[in-house]
Amino acid sequence: AQSVTQLDSHVSVSEGTPVLLRCNYSSSYSPSLFWYVQHPNKGLQLLLKYTSAATLVKGINGFEAEFKKSETSFHLTKPSAHMSDAAEYFCVGTNSGNTPLVFGKGTRLSVIA
Amino acid sequence: DAGVIQSPRHEVTEMGQEVTLRCKPISGHDYLFWYRQTMMRGLELLIYFNNNVPIDDSGMPEDRFSAKMPNASFSTLKIQPSEPRDSAVYFCASSLSGAAWTQYFGPGTRLLVL
């Protein structure tokens, strides 16, 4: 079965510095992978998705993620953090079982002025 | 498109009362999901439907919870009787088959049971 592990529960960066949110997955087949963002008191918004096309996926708000099969990773990056990026980020994968999606536990991103 | 619509956005009720949460999926989407989010347990899938038929309800915590989807544009999640431990944010999401399970979430209903 698929599992998704977000390696950091909290990441803090200064405004204008790069963002790296780490996600590893385990799967016996080629998965579909997603990153969602949740701002305080809001629903989850899709940032980007990987579905076995290009390994480097560009999303909204300047975020991108690279699927690395050899490392079983799907890390989320952004060159320069903005204050508005402060939120909870979820790495999500598909599952061959009955549950359509498997959610990571989330990484809270803080951006310091 | 208006996106996934949920109502009410906030609900405060007393223990023992019946609570009904409502969801309107994105038009044309044939999958609908109900999630619960708490600080302790994170995001949990409660139940999901395909073409209005419940496919997997293994995440429904107990018999006090029930969900229905009478038509393609409407679903309810009911808790009867409600308990304080049901306090959480409940999200509805929808997706289109063939779209790699890309789910679109509603804004959520924040439920507080006193």
Side-chain angles (χ1 to χ4, degrees), chain B residues 11-43:
Chain B
E11 177 81 28
V12 180
T13 190
E14 293 186 348
M15 183 174 62
Q17 296 298 306
E18 178 180 294
V19 175
T20 299
L21 311 181
R22 297 173 176 80
C23 175
K24 176 179 170 57
I26 292 173
S27 177
H29 282 191
D30 52 353
Y31 281 86
L32 184 139
F33 307 83
W34 282 102
Y35 291 88
R36 178 172 68 177
Q37 186 178 40
T38 61
M39 289 292 292
M40 292 297 295
R41 294 186 297 269
L43 200 63

Side-chain angles (χ1 to χ4, degrees), chain A residues 66-81:
Chain A
E66 186 171 8
F67 175 74
K68 292 187 177 180
K69 188 174 182 178
S70 60
E71 300 177 8
T72 60
S73 69
F74 190 58
H75 301 336
L76 181 70
T77 60
K78 183 174 180 177
S80 176

Side-chain angles (χ1 to χ4, degrees), chain A residues 32 34 36 38 40-46 49 51 88 90 94-95 97-101 103 105, chain B residues 9 31 33 35 37 41 43 45 48 55-56 58 91 99-108 110:
Chain A
S32 293
F34 310 79
Y36 282 83
Q38 184 179 27
N41 300 315
K42 301 288 187 183
L44 280 73
Q45 179 185 16
L46 179 66
K49 65 178 179 181
T51 55
E88 188 89 14
F90 293 92
T94 50
N95 190 357
N98 289 330
T99 305
L101 291 183
F103 283 77
K105 293 192 179 299
Chain B
R9 294 293 310 277
Y31 281 86
F33 307 83
Y35 291 88
Q37 186 178 40
R41 294 186 297 269
L43 200 63
L45 176 66
Y48 77 95
I55 302 301
D56 184 358
S58 60
F91 289 103
W101 294 113
T102 304
Q103 295 184 18
Y104 296 88
F105 283 75
R110 187 172 296 273

